[in-house]
Amino acid sequence: MDAAMSTQSELAELGRQYLYPNYRQAPLAIVRGEGALLWDAEGKRYVDMLGGIAVSALGHAHPKLVAAIADQAAKVIQVSNYYYNEPNVRLAQKLCTLTGMARAFFCNSGTEAVEAALKLARRYFHTQGQPERLKVLAYANSFHGRTLGALAATGQEKYKQGFGPLPGALHVPYGDLEATRRALGPEVAAVIFEPVQGEGGVVPAPPGFIRDLRALTQETGTLLIADEIQTGIGRTGTFLACEAAGVRPDIVVLAKGLAGGVPIGSMLCTEALAEALPPGAHGSTFGGNPLASRAALTVLETLESEKLVARTRELGGVLASGLEKLVARHPKKLEGARGSGLLQAAVLVEGIDPRAVIATLQTRGLMLSVAGARALRFSPPLVVTQELISEALGILDATLGELSVQ
Ligand SMILES: Cc1ncc(COP(=O)(O)O)c(C=O)c1O
């Protein structure tokens, strides 16, 4: 296959004809990247503040990741879970060391990691002689994925419409400890939460909430699942966002940035939960394969060797102050800025179409995404530079300046 043989508009036409139309795709085909830059099939350059939706932790074409993937592909890509493979065992060890958890299960996406966590919670109580503890308590405006269990936990109706009854989940307002306490009946197995609601619009938990939630779930014997799929792997300035709150959940789910763009998901749990899913109870053909595991191990090693988590805190400060300045300069267009580390957003005022803003930014060479109703989300590669952040803020500034509002 030679991608250069098709023009961008030919590719877009083929995509419109043959791809299942469940995405709203821009008529662009991306052909290559480097760090936090991307180029389309016509050679146009983009500053990538989207990062493959908070995925490309090491940026595009990081030489260490490229070399590790090529080396592993030349050795062995897939062996099945009938056997061990070194990258996978080492990855499990590394993740447990980094998070303080005891066991790691591997799958291929965020939603699968959430699904594994929900199944583990149910089966744990089944093995404890409490089979009535089946429900998950989640938060309004949350996003946990698209498989039926993860979708049930998701607290946004727009994702659920038309899919009929979903397995039992309860929802209360995000950050509301008293509502959580009231909803924690005898049928609730677990509480699942995002430390910062990503898809919901980059909404951080209120101060103290995560710590109080940990104490509450300990009181009631309910399992606490931290969905760190978007916030984990250093994105908010600590390896896990829960770390900043001084909290260790019972279960942590990771995906997105973990293997730098190679599909992977992971569910980590405490030793107390290690016997709830015995051999045969859960699994995945591709889960823990050597290729994805080696990529993830390389991401974790590179986060350390390039001190990317500390850098995320530093650059997060630069981004936050840049966004605050834009809010001050464009009060009729931006109502605020929020987030932490390299997961932040500028929030448009009501009445401005965020998709139109994103489309204009794209024509000017800036990639961003909309989260929630009106948040322009920044989730760049963790290797982004201060210069590229300034360039991105400059493009947003100019675009907001030209935007007319009633
Ligand atoms: C917090 C959170 N959980 C779960 C998911 C689902 O992950 P995936 O799209 O890899 O299935 C996402 C994806 O955006 C997410 O942000």
Side-chain angles (χ1 to χ4, degrees), residues 329-341:
R329 275 171 58 76
H330 303 282
K332 293 206 170 99
K333 292 155 191 173
L334 293 179
E335 68 174 35
R338 61 191 179 216
S340 62

Side-chain angles (χ1 to χ4, degrees), residues 46-47 49 358 361-362 364-368 378 392 395-396:
Y46 299 86
V47 177
M49 291 289 149
I358 292 287
L361 293 171
Q362 198 175 280
R364 295 181 158 192
L366 171 60
M367 279 179 179
L368 276 187
F378 285 70
I395 296 172
L396 182 56

Side-chain angles (χ1 to χ4, degrees), residues 37-62:
L37 289 171
L38 287 169
W39 284 268
D40 71 17
E42 288 178 352
K44 183 174 161 72
R45 169 188 176 275
Y46 299 86
V47 177
D48 181 14
M49 291 289 149
L50 169 65
I53 321 184
V55 166
S56 314
L58 300 189
H60 306 289
H62 191 293

Side-chain angles (χ1 to χ4, degrees), residues 136-139 144 172-184 188 190-197 205-227 242 245-251:
V136 64
L137 178 64
Y139 291 96
H144 297 293
V172 296
Y174 184 54
D176 188 336
L177 194 74
E178 285 318 306
T180 306
R181 189 190 300 279
R182 286 194 298 275
L184 279 183
V188 178
V191 176
I192 186 167
F193 76 102
E194 296 161 90
V196 178
Q197 289 190 326
F209 174 69
I210 299 176
R211 197 193 52 229
D212 293 346
L213 181 62
R214 174 69 288 190
L216 175 61
T217 48
Q218 260 157 355
E219 228 175 84
T220 56
T222 316
L223 296 175
L224 183 63
I225 307 171
D227 182 343
C242 281
V247 159
R248 199 188 70 162
D250 300 294
I251 303 172

Side-chain angles (χ1 to χ4, degrees), residues 12-13 46 64 80 89 104-105 113 118 122 124 127 139 157 186 194 204 238 250 254 293-294 319 403:
E13 189 47 46
Y46 299 86
K64 285 189 190 141
S80 89
V89 175
F105 164 80
L118 298 178
R122 282 185 169 208
Y124 171 70
T127 62
Y139 291 96
E157 276 314 306
E194 296 161 90
T238 44
D250 300 294
L254 296 171
S293 299
R294 177 80 182 273
L319 179 57
L403 203 65

Side-chain angles (χ1 to χ4, degrees), residues 68-80:
I69 291 171
D71 181 65
Q72 191 59 49
K75 287 182 175 145
V76 62
I77 293 176
Q78 160 76 359
V79 295
S80 89

Side-chain angles (χ1 to χ4, degrees), residues 53 108-112 114 143-147 150 194 196-199 227-231 253 255-256 264 377:
I53 321 184
N108 316 287
S109 65
T111 197
E112 282 176 68
V114 169
F143 184 79
H144 297 293
R146 311 246 192 189
T147 49
E194 296 161 90
V196 178
Q197 289 190 326
E199 297 309 301
D227 182 343
E228 295 248 15
I229 287 166
Q230 192 151 156
T231 52
V253 286
K256 286 200 182 280
I264 193 168
R377 171 176 47 188

Side-chain angles (χ1 to χ4, degrees), residues 391-403:
E391 188 178 335
L393 291 169
I395 296 172
L396 182 56
D397 187 22
T399 303
L400 290 170
E402 286 169 18
L403 203 65

